[in-house]
C-alpha cells in the first residue's frame, strides 16, 4: 500500500494519539477503594474492645461533639497568608484567635494535583483523587464515592452551601439550600465573593441548619490575574478576615449552657505559586492554612508553631466530630488535638474506629497488608481491650492512666503507618492496557524509522506492505497468539483491566491491527537489509552534514535527558542550550558558505547571490528587494542573523523564570507587572504590537492588513481596559473592566482574516493556472497565519507580547537570510522549526508543571464560563510557541515548492518522527518508574504535556496533509 509522506505521517500520529489515550487510561490509577459496600453505615462501626462478660455499651456509636459546623473554604489560602507577618497585617482577627483563642491551627498538606475539584474530593472523602482528575476539573461529574456530605445528609443533617458551583455538580440534591457561582471566570474577584456574603446575615440568624459551607473564590482569582504579591491580595484577605469575625461572633452568641459547642473551620483547598497559579507540587501550592475554632478547645496562651497534617485528615476528624461513620475509602487519620479534651475512653474509642476503617481498606487493597501497620493496629486493639477491662472493673489508679496513654500512642503509630501505606499505593495500574498501548506506540516509531528513506526521497511515497501481510502465515499465528493472551489475561487479572471490559469485536480488531503492523514492520525491515548485488544510490542513503549531525545528536540528547526528574523540571535549560548551539552552528555554516567557499571559487562572486531572484523563483522573494539593501550587504545580514537570534533568546530567558529551582527568583516579567513600571510596560507593549504588524502584514492583502492593524489596536485597548497597560488617550477614570467588548472587537477581526485566508485557499483549488493558484494559496496561508498571530497577541499577557514579537522577528530573518540563502532542505528546516517552537514554549513562561498553565486566557471576551471555547483558548495560549513555528513552516514550505520538492510531505514526516521519539521514550520511562517517589509530582504532569503536544502535532500534520493533497496533480 503506497502512501504519500504526509498521509503516512498523519496516520501514524493518529494511531499514536489513540495509543497514548489508552496508555493514560491504564496509567492513571483507579483510586484505592473498598469493595465491601458502597457506603459506610453506623452498623459497620466495630464494637468497643473488652474482655470478659462485663462489657458496657460495647457497640455504641461515637458521641456527637459539635452541634453546628461552619466550613469557610477560601480558595488558594496559602499558609503564609495566615501564619506569616502578612496574616498579622491583613487578617488580624483570625491571627488573634490563632494565637490566644480557643482554636487549633495547622498547615494542611494537599497532594498534587493542586486544583479545586480533586481537593474538594479529598476534603469530603478523605481519599486521594486520581491525577487524571485535573482533566475532569473543568467539568466535575457527580461524586458517587462515599463522602462526608452524603453521610451527613443520610443522618438527617441539614446542609446549606454558597460558593463555587463545583460543589453543586459533585453533590446534586444534597443541600437544602444552595447558590453556586462559576469558578472559572477568573477575571471576576469581587462579585464572585459578594454572591456568597450576601446570604450570610440572614443564614446566621436562622436555626434550621446543621452544616454551612462557604466557598470563596476571589483570592484564587486575584492570584491568577496578578500573583500572590499583588496589591489586591491584602484587601481581599481583610475582607475574608471580617467574614470570619462575623461568623465567629454569631456562633459564640448562639452558645448556651448545657448545649454542644459549635465548630468553625477555616481552610484552603490548595495554595498559590509565586506566579499566582496552582496545580503543581511546590511548597507554596501544597501548604494550606487550616484553623479550627470552637469553645470545646483549650484557650491558647501564646503563639504556637502550627502542626503539619495531611489535608485528607480533616474528613475523618469532622465525621467523628459529627457522630458520623468515616467514609469507607478515606486514607486520613484523626487529628489528635481536636479530641484531646475528651476522656481517655472516648479518645481511644475514636482512634479504634479510625483504625478499624483503615485496616479494612488496607486488607481490601493490599495483599501484604500485615506489613503496613495492620499488625500494630491489632496489638493496639488488644491492649485497648485490656485497658477496657481495668476501666470497667473500676480501676482508678495511675496504672490505668499510664496504660491509656501507651495504648493511645500505639493507635497513633498504627494509624500513621496504615495511612502512609494507603497514600503511597494511591491506586492500581492497568498494566495490560499500558503494555498494549506501549506496543502500538513502539510499532509506530519503528514504522517511521524504517520508512525514512522512502519518506524523505524525492517522490515522498512510502510503500507499507500491509496488504501482503494480511495473507501471510505469521499474521494468523500472531492473531491466534494475541487472542489467547487476551483471554488468559482477562480470566486471571486480579486488578482493573479496561481492555477486558470492551466488546470482543473491538478487542479482536485491535489484535488484528497489531498483528498486521508487526508483519508489515518485518517486511519493511527485510527490504532494508543490504544485498550483495545492490548498489547504493543517492535516494537510498545520505551523507550527514555537520548540521545534520548536530540536529540528530541534539534530538537524541534531549530525549535521553527526560530520564531524570531534575531534567524534566528544568527541561527548558536543555532547549536553551540546544538553541544556542544551533545558532552557533548556523553562524559557522554562514561563514563557510559566504567567505571560505566564495574565496575558493574565486570568480564565482560575479555570478550574483546564491539565492534565486524573484523573477526566477516565482513566489520566492529576495531579501535585498524586501529590505531595500544591496545584494552585497545580504551576506553581512546573514552573518548577523544567528547573532541577533542569540541576543533575542537571551533577552527572552530573562523575561520569565520557569522550571522549579529558580522559578521563585524575580524576573523581568515581575518587574514589568509591578504597578511602578506600568508606563514602561505600556510603551513596550505598544512597540511590540507595532513590530508584529510590520512583520506579519507583508504577505497579506490590503483588506487583511487593515483588519490586522485594527485588531492589534484592539489588543492594546483590551489590555488597557483590564488595567495591564495605560490608555495613551484621555480616558475617564472608572473601575477596571473585564475588557469583554474590546476582546470581542478583536475576535471579529480574527474571524475576518481567517475567513479571507480560507476563501483564498479554496479558490486556489479550482484555478486552472498553476502560477496563479500557487500565488493565491501562498497568500491564503499567510493570512490564516496572520489571524492566528492576532489571536495569540490577544491571549498573551502584556509582558509576554515581546516574546511574540521576537518570535516573528526570528522567523522573518531566519527565513530570508538562512533557510533560503543557504538552501537548507525541508528536513533540516523542519527540525530547526521544531527546536525553536520548543524553546519559545518555555520563553512564554511555561514549564512541565501544571501550575504554569494560565487558565485566565480561556475567558478572554467571555461573560460566563463556556467549556469548549475556554479549553481551546487555554490550549492555544499554552502551546502558542510550537503552534506558531509549525504554522510558519507550513507557509514557508508552501512558498518554496519550486525549490524544495515535496517539502510539505518531508516536513510532515519529520514532525511525526520528532514527536514520536520523546513520546515513546517517555511512555517506556513512566512505565518503568511508576512507583518512583516523584511519579505524581513530576512525571505525571510531563506525561499530560506530552500527550497534549502530540495531539496538537497531529492537528498540524492534518493541515500539512490538506495542503499537500494536490501534489499528485503537479506535472
Amino acid at each position: 500500500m503506497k502512501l504519500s509522506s504526509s498521509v503516512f505521517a498523519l496516520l501514524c500520529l493518529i494511531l499514536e494519539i489513540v495509543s497514548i489515550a489508552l496508555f493514560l487510561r491504564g496509567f492513571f490509577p483507579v483510586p484505592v477503594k473498598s469493595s465491601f459496600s458502597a457506603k459506610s453505615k453506623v452498623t459497620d462501626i466495630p464494637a468497643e474492645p473488652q474482655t470478659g462478660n462485663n462489657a458496657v455499651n460495647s457497640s455504641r456509636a461515637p458521641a456527637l461533639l459539635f452541634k453546628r459546623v461552619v466550613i469557610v473554604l477560601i480558595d488558594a489560602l496559602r499558609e503564609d497568608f495566615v501564619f506569616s507577618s502578612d496574616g498579622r497585617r491583613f487578617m488580624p482577627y483570625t491571627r488573634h484567635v490563632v494565637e490566644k483563642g480557643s482554636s487549633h491551627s495547622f498547615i494542611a498538606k494537599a497532594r498534587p494535583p493542586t486544583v479545586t475539584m480533586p481537593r474538594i474530593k479529598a476534603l469530603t472523602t478523605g481519599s486521594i483523587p486520581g491525577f487524571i482528575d485535573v482533566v475532569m476539573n473543568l467539568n466535575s461529574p457527580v461524586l458517587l464515592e462515599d463522602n462526608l456530605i452524603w453521610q451527613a445528609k443520610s443522618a438527617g443533617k441539614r446542609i446549606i452551601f454558597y460558593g463555587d458551583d463545583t460543589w453543586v455538580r459533585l453533590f446534586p440534591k444534597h443541600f437544602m439550600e444552595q447558590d453556586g457561582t462559576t469558578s472559572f471566570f477568573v477575571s471576576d474577584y469581587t462579585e464572585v465573593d459578594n454572591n456568597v456574603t450576601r446570604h450570610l446575615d440572614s443564614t446566621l440568624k436562622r436555626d434550621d441548619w446543621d452544616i454551612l459551607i462557604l466557598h470563596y473564590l476571589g483570592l484564587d482569582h486575584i492570584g491568577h490575574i496578578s500573583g500572590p504579591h499583588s496589591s489586591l491580595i491584602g484587601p481581599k484577605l481583610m475582607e475574608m478576615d471580617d467574614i470570619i469575625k462575623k461568623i465567629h461572633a454569631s456562633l459564640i452568641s448562639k452558645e448556651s449552657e448545657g448545649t454542644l459547642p459549635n465548630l468553625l473551620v477555616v481552610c484552603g483547598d490548595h495554595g498559590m505559586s509565586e506566579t499566582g497559579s496552582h496545580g503543581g507540587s511546590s511548597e507554596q501550592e501544597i501548604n494550606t492554612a487550616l484553623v479550627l475554632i470552637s469553645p470545646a478547645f483549650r484557650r491558647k496562651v501564646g503563639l504556637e508553631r502550627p502542626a503539619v497534617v495531611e489535608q485528607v485528615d480533616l474528613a475523618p476528624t469532622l465525621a467523628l466530630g459529627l457522630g458520623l461513620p468515616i467514609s469507607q475509602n478515606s486514607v486520613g487519620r484523626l487529628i489528635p488535638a481536636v479530641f484531646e479534651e475528651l476522656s481517655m475512653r472516648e479518645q481511644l474509642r475514636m482512634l479504634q474506629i479510625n483504625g478499624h476503617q483503615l485496616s479494612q481498606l488496607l486488607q481490601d487493597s493490599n495483599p501484604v497488608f500485615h506489613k503496613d501497620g495492620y499488625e500494630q493496629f491489632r496489638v493496639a486493639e488488644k491492649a485497648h481491650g485490656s485497658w477496657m477491662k481495668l476501666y470497667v472493673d473500676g480501676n482508678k489508679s495511675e496504672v490505668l492512666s499510664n496504660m491509656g496513654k501507651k495504648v493511645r500512642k500505639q493507635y497513633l503509630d498504627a494509624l500513621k503507618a496504615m495511612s502512609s501505606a494507603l497514600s503511597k499505593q494511591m491506586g492500581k495500574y492497568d498494566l495490560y492496557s499500558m503494555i498494549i498501548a506501549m506496543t502500538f506506540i513502539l510499532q509506530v516509531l519503528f514504522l517511521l524509522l524504517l520508512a525514512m528513506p522512502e519518506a524523505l526521497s524525492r517522490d515522498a511515497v512510502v510503500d507499507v506492505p500491509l496488504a501482503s501481510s494480511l495473507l501471510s502465515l505469521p499474521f494468523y499465528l500472531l492473531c491466534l497468539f494475541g487472542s489467547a493472551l487476551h483471554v488468559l489475561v482477562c480470566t486471571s487479572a486480579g486488578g482493573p483491566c479496561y481492555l477486558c471490559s470492551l466488546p470482543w469485536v473491538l478487542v479482536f480488531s485491535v489484535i488484528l491491527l497489531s498483528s498486521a503492523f508487526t508483519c508489515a514492520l518485518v517486511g519493511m525491515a527485510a527490504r532494508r537489509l543490504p544485498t550483495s548485488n545492490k548498489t547504493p544510490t543517492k535516494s537510498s542513503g545520505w551523507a550527514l552534514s555537520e548540521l545534520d549531525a548536530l540536529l540528530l545528536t541534539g534530538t537524541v540528547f534531549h530525549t535521553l535527558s527526560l530520564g531524570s526528574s531534575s531534567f524534566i523540571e528544568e527541561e527548558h535549560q536543555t532547549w536553551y542550550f540546544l538553541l544556542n548551539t544551533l545558532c552557533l552552528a548556523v553562524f559557522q555554516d554562514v561563514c563557510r558558505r559566504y567567505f571560505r567557499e566564495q574565496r575558493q571559487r574565486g570568480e564565482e562572486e560575479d555570478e550574483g547571490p546564491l539565492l534565486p531572484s524573484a523573477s526566477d523563483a516565482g513566489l520566492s522573494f529576495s531579501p535585498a528587494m524586501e529590505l531595500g539593501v544591496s545584494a552585497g550587504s545580504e551576506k553581512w545580514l546573514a552573518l548577523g542573523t544567528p547573532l541577533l537570534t542569540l541576543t533575542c533568546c537571551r533577552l527572552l530567558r530573562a523575561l520569565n523564570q520557569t522550571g522549579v529551582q529558580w522559578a521563585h527568583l524575580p524576573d523581568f516579567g515581575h518587574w514589568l507587572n509591578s504597578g511602578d513600571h506600568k508606563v514602561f510596560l505600556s510603551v513596550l507593549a505598544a512597540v511590540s504590537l507595532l513590530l508584529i504588524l510590520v512583520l506579519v502584514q507583508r504577505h497579506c492583502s490590503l483588506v487583511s492588513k487593515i483588519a490586522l492593524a485594527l485588531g492589534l489596536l484592539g489588543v492594546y485597548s483590551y489590555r488597557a481596559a483590564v488595567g495591564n497597560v495605560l490608555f495613551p488617550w484621555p480616558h475617564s477614570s472608572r473601575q477596571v473592566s473585564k475588557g469583554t467588548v474590546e476582546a470581542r472587537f478583536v475576535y471579529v477581526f480574527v474571524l475576518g482574516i481567517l475567513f479571507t485566508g480560507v476563501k483564498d485557499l479554496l479558490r486556489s483549488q479550482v484555478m486552472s493556472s498553476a502560477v496563479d493558484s500557487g500565488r493565491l494559496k501562498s497568500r491564503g496561508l499567510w493570512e490564516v497565519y496572520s489571524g492566528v498571530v492576532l489571536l495569540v497577541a490577544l491571549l498573551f499577557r502584556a509582558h509576554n507580547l515581546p516574546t511574540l514579537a521576537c518570535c516573528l522577528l526570528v522567523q522573518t530573518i531566519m527565513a530570508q537570510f538562512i533557510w533560503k540563502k543557504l538552501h537548507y532542505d525541508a528536513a533540516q528546516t523542519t527540525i530547526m522549526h521544531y527546536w525553536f517552537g520548543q524553546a519559545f514554549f518555555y520563553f512564554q513562561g511555561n514549564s512541565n508543571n501544571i501550575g504554569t498553565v494560565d487558565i485566565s486566557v480561556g475567558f478572554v471576551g467571555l461573560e460566563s464560563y463556556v467549556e469548549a471555547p475556554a479549553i481551546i483558548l487555554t490550549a492555544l495560549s499554552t502551546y502558542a510557541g510550537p503552534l506558531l513555528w509549525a504554522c510558519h513552516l507550513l507557509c514557508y514550505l508552501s512558498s518554496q515548492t519550486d525549490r524544495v520538492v515535496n517539502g510539505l510531505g518531508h516536513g510532515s514526516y519529520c514532525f511525526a518522527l520528532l514527536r514520536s521519539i520523546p513520546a515513546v521514550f517517555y511512555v517506556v520511562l513512566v512505565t518503568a518508574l511508576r512507583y518512583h517517589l516523584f511519579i505524581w509530582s513530576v512525571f505525571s504532569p510531563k506525561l499530560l504535556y506530552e500527550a497534549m503536544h502530540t495531539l496538537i502535532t497531529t492537528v498540524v500534520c492534518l493541515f500539512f496533509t490538506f495542503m499537500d493533497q494536490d501534489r499528485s496533480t503537479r506535472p
Side-chain angles (χ1 to χ4, degrees):
M1 181 171 63
K2 292 186 177 182
L3 301 170
S4 66
S5 293
S6 57
V7 174
F8 173 74
L10 177 62
L11 293 177
C12 286
L13 281 175
I14 291 175
L15 179 59
E16 186 170 311
I17 198 65
V18 172
S19 301
I20 291 177
L22 177 61
F23 183 86
L24 293 176
R25 176 62 178 79
F27 174 75
F28 289 110
V30 179
V32 174
K33 294 182 180 180
S34 175
S35 60
F36 291 117
S37 63
K39 304 285 193 301
S40 294
K41 307 183 186 69
V42 176
T43 55
D44 296 331
I45 296 177
E48 194 170 16
Q50 33 75 38
T51 57
N53 299 320
N54 300 350
V56 178
N57 296 330
S58 62
S59 61
R60 66 190 182 96
L64 186 67
L65 301 184
F66 304 108
K67 179 183 179 182
R68 281 183 168 187
V69 174
V70 178
I71 300 175
V72 180
L73 178 58
I74 304 175
D75 213 288
L77 184 65
R78 281 184 4 179
E79 55 92 10
D80 59 330
F81 287 164
V82 178
F83 302 131
S84 71
S85 58
D86 287 342
R88 188 174 282 107
R89 287 174 55 203
F90 301 126
M91 303 188 76
Y93 182 81
T94 304
R95 188 60 179 266
H96 173 76
V97 173
V98 166
E99 295 180 359
K100 299 181 180 179
S102 301
S103 66
H104 291 298
S105 55
F106 307 94
I107 297 175
K109 285 191 170 291
R111 295 294 185 95
T114 48
V115 291
T116 296
M117 192 269 281
R119 296 301 96 222
I120 294 176
K121 281 188 176 182
L123 288 168
T124 56
T125 66
S127 61
I128 300 177
F131 202 92
I132 198 64
D133 280 317
V134 70
V135 179
M136 304 299 296
N137 187 56
L138 294 173
N139 187 18
S140 309
V142 177
L143 181 61
L144 301 177
E145 186 179 346
D146 192 5
N147 61 81
L148 178 66
I149 305 300
W150 184 90
Q151 291 288 352
K153 184 176 183 296
S154 299
K157 304 287 185 184
R158 298 160 296 179
I159 312 172
I160 295 178
F161 170 77
Y162 305 120
D164 184 353
D165 61 357
T166 303
W167 291 77
V168 179
R169 295 196 300 270
L170 287 173
F171 310 106
K173 302 180 181 179
H174 284 66
F175 306 118
M176 60 172 280
E177 187 176 314
Q178 65 187 33
D179 187 7
T181 57
T182 180
S183 60
F184 293 107
F185 195 69
V186 296
S187 299
D188 174 24
Y189 53 84
T190 303
E191 293 300 324
V192 73
D193 285 348
N194 292 341
N195 191 56
V196 178
T197 306
R198 67 189 177 92
H199 299 284
L200 204 53
D201 290 334
S202 59
T203 303
L204 291 175
K205 294 176 183 178
R206 293 158 49 185
D207 296 321
D208 61 343
W209 56 269
D210 302 300
I211 300 175
L212 173 63
I213 303 174
L214 309 172
H215 190 154
Y216 285 94
L217 292 163
L219 184 65
D220 177 68
H221 289 188
I222 292 175
H224 283 296
I225 294 171
S226 52
H229 305 295
S230 167
S231 58
L232 301 172
I233 291 288
K236 178 57 66 174
L237 291 176
M238 291 180 182
E239 178 188 342
M240 295 296 101
D241 191 58
D242 291 339
I243 290 169
I244 293 170
K245 181 179 180 179
K246 177 186 292 188
I247 296 172
H248 190 207
S250 175
L251 293 178
I252 291 176
S253 67
K254 291 184 177 293
E255 297 281 353
S256 58
E257 196 70 29
T259 61
L260 291 173
N262 299 319
L263 173 66
L264 171 60
V265 180
V266 180
C267 62
D269 55 345
H270 52 73
M272 183 188 299
S273 71
E274 286 301 304
T275 61
S277 58
H278 54 88
S281 58
S282 66
E283 290 295 313
Q284 294 87 351
E285 292 170 275
I286 65 173
N287 289 341
T288 66
L290 173 60
V291 181
L292 306 178
I293 306 171
S294 174
F297 304 146
R298 187 186 311 157
R299 183 173 292 273
K300 298 285 175 49
V301 295
L303 178 62
E304 298 179 4
R305 181 179 177 83
V308 178
V309 298
E310 293 290 333
Q311 192 179 61
V312 292
D313 295 342
L314 183 61
T317 302
L318 289 180
L320 293 183
L322 290 170
L324 304 173
I326 298 175
S327 301
Q328 200 161 61
N329 300 316
S330 170
V331 300
R333 52 197 173 104
L334 294 180
I335 302 176
V338 177
F339 305 98
E340 62 186 7
E341 297 300 314
L342 300 179
S343 66
M344 181 59 70
R345 179 179 182 179
E346 290 175 315
Q347 289 186 53
L348 296 181
R349 176 63 172 156
M350 297 286 187
L351 294 171
Q352 183 227 352
I353 293 173
N354 189 197
H356 176 78
Q357 176 264 325
L358 288 176
S359 66
Q360 292 294 312
L361 183 60
L362 195 61
Q363 287 183 67
D364 196 37
S365 62
N366 192 346
V368 291
F369 62 88
H370 59 280
K371 297 180 181 178
D372 298 309
Y374 181 82
E375 293 298 334
Q376 291 176 263
F377 171 69
R378 288 304 175 201
V379 170
E381 196 172 37
K382 185 176 181 181
H384 186 187
S386 301
W387 184 90
M388 277 295 300
K389 180 179 180 181
L390 294 177
Y391 178 84
V392 172
D393 291 343
N395 191 318
K396 304 293 183 181
S397 65
E398 189 70 19
V399 174
L400 183 67
S401 176
N402 292 336
M403 185 177 178
K405 294 177 181 178
K406 181 179 179 181
V407 174
R408 182 175 60 189
K409 186 178 184 305
Q410 288 177 323
Y411 267 136
L412 291 174
D413 291 342
L415 292 179
K416 182 178 180 180
M418 289 189 291
S419 177
S420 177
L422 288 166
S423 299
K424 289 178 181 178
Q425 183 179 350
M426 284 189 65
K428 303 172 182 177
Y429 295 104
D430 182 1
L431 276 179
Y432 183 46
S433 297
M434 291 170 62
I435 292 173
I436 294 298
M438 188 165 49
T439 302
F440 272 109
I441 297 173
L442 284 169
Q443 287 178 332
V444 169
L445 177 60
F446 290 144
L447 195 63
L448 286 167
L449 291 174
L450 290 172
M452 183 181 295
E454 298 175 358
L456 295 180
S457 66
R458 186 177 182 84
D459 294 332
V461 174
V462 179
D463 184 9
V464 182
L466 198 58
S468 59
S469 300
L470 299 178
L471 303 177
S472 63
L473 179 61
F475 168 73
Y476 297 103
L477 293 177
L478 286 173
C479 290
L480 182 61
F481 174 76
S483 302
L485 181 64
H486 179 73
V487 172
L488 180 64
V489 170
C490 292
T491 54
S492 60
C497 180
Y498 175 69
L499 287 176
C500 296
S501 63
L502 295 177
W504 173 252
V505 175
L506 182 59
V507 173
F508 189 67
S509 300
V510 172
I511 294 173
L512 290 176
L513 183 61
S514 179
S515 303
F517 263 16
T518 303
C519 294
L521 284 172
V522 174
M524 293 182 69
R527 289 208 311 254
R528 300 291 175 262
L529 293 177
T531 57
S532 57
N533 59 348
K534 183 175 180 179
T535 302
T537 62
K538 185 177 180 180
S539 63
S540 61
W542 311 268
L544 290 179
S545 66
E546 294 176 1
L547 184 61
D548 292 328
L550 170 65
L551 296 174
L552 179 61
T553 304
T555 303
V556 173
F557 169 73
H558 163 255
T559 302
L560 294 178
S561 69
L562 294 177
S564 166
S565 60
S566 297
F567 271 103
I568 291 174
E569 292 174 339
E570 306 297 327
E571 185 184 353
H572 60 286
Q573 302 287 4
T574 303
W575 286 112
Y576 295 165
F577 169 76
L578 291 177
L579 199 60
N580 293 342
T581 307
L582 175 63
C583 290
L584 293 176
V586 170
F587 179 78
Q588 184 260 352
D589 205 16
V590 171
C591 292
R592 185 179 68 247
R593 300 274 186 106
Y594 273 99
F595 296 98
R596 190 178 68 185
E597 291 183 3
Q598 286 193 4
R599 186 167 57 250
Q600 290 174 353
R601 290 183 300 183
E603 299 298 328
E604 292 185 5
E605 185 175 350
D606 298 331
E607 296 179 7
L610 294 175
L611 184 68
S613 65
S615 59
D616 296 331
L619 295 175
S620 300
F621 53 91
S622 170
M625 295 174 57
E626 190 73 19
L627 300 178
V629 298
S630 63
S633 301
E634 290 183 18
K635 64 180 180 181
W636 298 107
L637 291 173
L639 194 64
T641 294
L643 301 180
L644 180 59
T645 302
L646 273 175
T647 303
C648 289
C649 293
R650 185 61 191 89
L651 293 175
L652 292 178
R653 288 181 61 177
L655 187 62
N656 293 299
Q657 287 283 3
T658 185
V660 173
Q661 297 185 20
W662 296 281
H664 64 284
L665 298 179
D667 51 37
F668 191 48
H670 283 91
W671 186 84
L672 288 172
N673 285 315
S674 62
D676 299 334
H677 308 112
K678 184 175 286 188
V679 175
F680 188 83
L681 176 61
S682 302
V683 174
L684 185 62
V687 172
S688 299
L689 291 172
L690 184 61
L691 181 58
I692 291 170
L693 175 63
V694 172
L695 293 172
V696 175
Q697 56 83 30
R698 297 172 300 122
H699 306 285
C700 299
S701 63
L702 179 61
V703 174
S704 295
K705 289 179 181 180
I706 297 174
L708 181 63
L710 293 175
L712 291 174
L713 181 63
V715 170
Y716 188 91
S717 300
Y718 167 74
R719 285 298 161 192
V722 297
N724 298 141
V725 297
L726 299 175
F727 280 100
W729 51 82
H731 184 69
S732 60
S733 59
R734 58 184 177 90
Q735 290 186 348
V736 175
S737 73
K738 299 176 183 177
T740 305
V741 175
E742 292 83 354
R744 291 179 177 178
F745 176 80
V746 179
Y747 283 140
V748 170
F749 291 108
V750 170
L751 293 175
I753 295 173
L754 291 176
F755 174 79
T756 303
V758 172
K759 182 187 67 174
D760 288 344
L761 289 176
L762 295 177
R763 286 175 56 198
S764 69
Q765 301 295 319
V766 297
M767 296 188 69
S768 57
S769 173
V771 176
D772 293 339
S773 175
R775 184 180 294 109
L776 196 60
K777 178 192 290 186
S778 179
R779 191 179 72 180
L781 282 173
W782 284 111
E783 287 180 333
V784 171
Y785 176 68
S786 302
V788 174
V789 169
L790 178 57
L791 181 57
V792 170
L794 175 65
L795 299 180
F796 269 18
R797 296 198 179 195
H799 77 277
N800 255 343
L801 288 175
T803 305
L804 178 57
C806 287
C807 173
L808 300 176
L809 178 62
V810 172
Q811 288 176 354
T812 301
I813 61 178
M814 289 291 289
Q816 293 194 21
F817 300 115
I818 301 299
W819 296 320
K820 293 181 181 180
K821 195 74 173 177
L822 302 183
H823 298 283
Y824 288 133
D825 60 32
Q828 292 171 326
T829 306
T830 301
I831 297 176
M832 290 187 201
H833 274 78
Y834 182 83
W835 281 24
F836 274 107
Q838 289 296 106
F840 273 87
F841 173 81
Y842 294 106
F843 286 148
Q844 295 174 226
N846 292 318
S847 71
N848 290 322
N849 187 334
I850 293 177
T852 56
V853 176
D854 184 9
I855 65 171
S856 63
V857 300
F859 311 94
V860 174
L862 302 179
E863 291 183 343
S864 61
Y865 172 64
V866 184
E867 185 174 349
I871 294 175
I872 294 173
L873 292 176
T874 302
L876 177 61
S877 173
T878 303
Y879 288 92
L883 188 60
L884 284 176
W885 280 91
C887 291
H888 182 269
L889 177 67
L890 177 61
C891 296
Y892 172 77
L893 293 179
S894 296
S895 66
Q896 297 295 301
T897 53
D898 59 318
R899 186 175 65 84
V900 182
V901 180
N902 290 317
L904 290 174
H906 294 171
S908 180
Y909 168 80
C910 289
F911 257 123
L913 183 61
L914 290 170
R915 189 84 291 277
S916 297
I917 292 174
V920 167
F921 181 84
Y922 204 74
V923 162
V924 174
L925 179 70
V926 295
T927 303
L929 300 180
R930 61 187 182 278
Y931 296 113
H932 192 278
L933 179 63
F934 300 132
I935 188 64
W936 302 118
S937 59
V938 177
F939 293 98
S940 293
K942 174 62 176 173
L943 183 61
L944 290 176
Y945 272 109
E946 289 292 320
M948 190 63 189
H949 197 175
T950 305
L951 178 61
I952 290 177
T953 304
T954 305
V955 176
V956 168
C957 286
L958 177 63
F959 282 98
F960 271 81
T961 305
F962 173 75
M963 297 309 302
D964 194 40
Q965 66 177 348
D966 63 338
R967 60 174 297 276
S968 60
T969 63
R970 291 194 295 266

